[in-house]
Amino acid sequence: MDNMIGADQILQKRKTFMFPCTSHFYKQPPQMVRGHMQYLYDEKDTPYVDFFAGVSVVACGHCNEHITRETVKQVETLQHTSTIYLTQPMVDLAERLARILPGDLKRTFFCNSGSEANEGALLAARLHTNKRDFIALDFGLHGRTSLTMSVTGIPMWRTDPYLEKNTHFIPRPFDGGMTLDEAAEKSLQALRQVLAEKGDTIAAMIVEPIQGNGGIIVPARHYFQEVHALLKQHNVLLIADEIQTGFGRTGAMFAMEHFGVVPDILSMAKALGNGTPIGCFSTTDAIANSFNRPSASTFGGNPVSSVTAMAVLDYIEQEKLVRRSHKLGQLLKDGLLELKHKYNFITDVRGMGLMVGMEILGDAPQRGAEAVDMIIECMKNRGFIIGKNGVNRNVLAFQPPLVIHESNIRRMLSALEDVCTGGHAWLYEASPAK
Ligand code: PMP
């Protein structure tokens, strides 16, 4: 690329021409120029192993050749008609999703992003139940539209000061001071109470099976089964937001499978397009049939996104990425747990498959957030892109493309150990090694 302007000018243009609400990682951010599978390259062609996959999106790898080839073929053939004309890729994708979705989830509505998918799922629940309100978990994240923001429980992402007050938040089934079973019981207790008092006004409860932005939170195995049973008693639907967890990320095609629960509605986005914008939600015949008033998304189900998504599903299946995520996830988690045993400042390691979080200084989260920023900067300088999340932004997030190699993980763990051990007096002072 001859016209590359470099990181400084990109920052300047962002500042001048874009909204100040968006932020970026790193004190010295590189300009990312190209990607190939698990690697990203900056303007100097320095390679980085990507352990964040563009926030859990690029599961099949950057610019995956198989997916790119299929996408380009479709771009050259027919790009857009809107759903008012008949095209085949959209219906083929819907049929394909029905085959891999759990239980009797078989009807799909296509749109363009995660927020839009959840917005539609919430609307479908209202139309089916004829009820208005929602239940959501503290510290969940479901999107940026008004309705999805109103069910988002992370204060920093509730940007709109005038959100509708139609959501009942209950504690999430995780609390640093409790066992998972105790935290699940606390959450279920609150759910029982809300349902007893308000059940006849509540359309749905929306959950992430494993909270992503909230810090990679895996509930006790029985939690969602009990949630679903309680909701059913009050004709309240369960919406599983699998936008971050879907398509093999957690070592199952969908994370709800780990909990043995088939939700009433399941929303998807991110990895389904491997970088191409797509979102959708799927449900049963009965619920879909209640959504019969007109609705349409101009780009939803367009031939290009649909063909890309089918190529993604082909690739996940052919390369057995779900199993790979499970297997390599274990290696990653075990390696991070070993580090936890060595360093006091690592207060938790949690996750499933290739969705693993490492909490830093959980007992002093503000310092933990500063430490996380320092660690991701040092790791970037060593050629590894690590994410971060958590309510207090003190959780390192490891969510690499599922095509990552064992050797990438081993090298990253060794670099992380170096960063934890050497050179960072500040971290040491914060909490000496055990
Ligand atoms: N739900 C979850 C669980 C997410 O992680 C996100 C985005 N990080 C969204 C919804 C919103 O998706 P989008 O940014 O595509 O609108």
Side-chain angles (χ1 to χ4, degrees):
M1 231 163 101
D2 299 332
N3 55 348
M4 242 171 341
I5 58 174
D8 288 347
Q9 278 199 55
I10 291 175
L11 284 173
Q12 199 50 49
K13 285 199 192 197
R14 275 176 72 129
K15 231 173 161 174
T16 313
F17 298 112
M18 296 181 70
F19 275 50
C21 58
T22 57
S23 66
H24 60 83
F25 281 6
Y26 305 128
K27 284 201 181 80
Q28 290 177 310
Q31 175 181 359
M32 292 306 181
V33 174
R34 67 187 179 94
H36 180 68
M37 300 309 273
Q38 70 270 44
Y39 300 103
L40 282 168
Y41 297 83
D42 69 11
E43 74 274 25
K44 299 188 190 97
D45 221 29
T46 311
Y48 300 85
V49 187
D50 185 1
F51 273 82
F52 206 28
V55 196
S56 209
V57 169
V58 192
C60 298
H62 294 278
C63 304
N64 177 302
E65 275 164 32
H66 166 73
I67 298 166
T68 304
R69 202 181 322 118
E70 295 299 308
T71 305
V72 168
K73 251 197 299 183
Q74 188 59 45
V75 169
E76 289 174 342
T77 309
L78 179 67
Q79 195 170 357
H80 176 78
T81 63
S82 96
T83 46
I84 49 185
Y85 304 98
L86 300 190
T87 55
Q88 187 173 332
M90 177 174 66
V91 290
D92 284 347
L93 176 60
E95 185 179 26
R96 187 82 185 267
L97 285 171
R99 284 218 304 271
I100 61 165
L101 282 162
D104 50 1
L105 303 179
K106 71 173 266 267
R107 298 252 210 138
T108 297
F109 185 99
F110 290 108
C111 50
N112 312 288
S113 69
S115 299
E116 224 189 312
N118 282 335
E119 179 88 19
L122 294 163
L123 171 60
R126 278 181 170 168
L127 293 176
H128 183 67
T129 59
N130 259 322
K131 298 192 276 183
R132 191 193 68 167
D133 293 354
F134 301 111
I135 300 173
L137 294 177
D138 285 342
F139 309 126
L141 182 139
H142 301 291
R144 215 184 48 260
T145 58
S146 188
L147 197 51
T148 57
M149 197 183 281
S150 74
V151 292
T152 287
I154 301 181
M156 78 174 268
W157 295 118
R158 289 173 61 81
T159 320
D160 181 351
Y162 304 107
L163 287 173
E164 269 186 69
K165 300 203 175 2
N166 53 12
T167 303
H168 304 278
F169 285 99
I170 61 169
R172 64 179 177 179
F174 176 86
D175 181 323
M178 291 183 182
T179 66
L180 281 183
D181 281 344
E182 286 166 353
E185 188 43 42
K186 184 176 161 195
S187 178
L188 290 167
Q189 195 50 42
L191 179 60
R192 284 184 204 106
Q193 195 175 338
V194 170
L195 288 171
E197 286 168 14
K198 299 272 165 73
D200 55 355
T201 64
I202 296 168
M205 173 166 171
I206 185 165
V207 298
E208 292 163 84
I210 297 177
Q211 285 188 344
N213 242 272
I216 311 205
I217 303 298
V218 187
R221 171 97 173 66
H222 63 94
Y223 174 72
F224 287 119
Q225 288 176 8
E226 295 193 36
V227 164
H228 205 195
L230 286 169
L231 296 180
K232 272 186 193 155
Q233 291 170 14
H234 293 266
N235 186 30
V236 174
L237 303 183
L238 177 64
I239 301 173
D241 172 348
E242 293 250 14
I243 284 154
Q244 196 155 146
T245 51
F247 305 104
R249 169 58 53 200
T250 68
M253 185 56 91
F254 295 101
M256 267 301 181
E257 293 168 27
H258 294 299
F259 302 93
V261 167
V262 179
D264 300 296
I265 308 178
L266 192 148
S267 54
M268 296 152 268
K270 291 199 188 257
L272 179 58
N274 203 53
T276 296
I278 185 168
C280 62
F281 59 98
S282 302
T283 188
T284 59
D285 277 331
I287 296 170
N289 282 336
S290 307
F291 197 154
N292 50 20
R293 298 172 68 183
S295 188
S297 160
T298 300
F299 295 123
N302 75 77
V304 178
S305 304
S306 301
V307 161
T308 304
M310 280 190 283
V312 166
L313 297 179
D314 284 342
Y315 196 81
I316 290 174
E317 218 169 280
Q318 277 159 23
E319 300 301 317
K320 303 187 171 49
L321 293 188
V322 180
R323 208 185 318 147
R324 190 185 175 90
S325 171
H326 174 71
K327 195 168 138 247
L328 293 183
Q330 207 54 53
L331 175 80
L332 172 62
K333 196 168 163 188
D334 287 348
L336 295 174
L337 279 167
E338 261 181 53
L339 292 183
K340 176 178 177 280
H341 290 133
K342 289 189 187 164
Y343 302 100
N344 271 336
F345 54 81
I346 300 170
T347 42
D348 201 8
V349 170
R350 51 196 184 229
M352 290 182 110
L354 284 170
M355 180 172 186
V356 187
M358 184 191 238
E359 183 190 82
I360 305 294
L361 290 170
D363 30 18
Q366 211 175 337
R367 284 216 325 268
E370 287 166 30
V372 159
D373 280 340
M374 199 165 70
I375 293 170
I376 65 170
E377 189 94 33
C378 292
M379 290 298 285
K380 179 257 301 171
N381 294 340
R382 284 161 194 256
F384 298 96
I385 300 296
I386 314 292
K388 65 168 173 172
N389 57 32
V391 182
N392 298 301
R393 313 300 285 166
N394 65 329
V395 178
L396 292 165
F398 301 87
Q399 296 170 266
L402 308 183
V403 297
I404 195 137
H405 295 162
E406 198 176 312
S407 58
N408 298 131
I409 294 176
R410 290 193 192 283
R411 279 191 212 120
M412 186 282 295
L413 287 168
S414 143
L416 186 59
E417 171 143 31
D418 261 16
V419 168
C420 288
T421 314
H424 295 293
W426 188 90
L427 252 182
Y428 265 143
E429 279 159 26
S431 177
K434 278 177 200 163

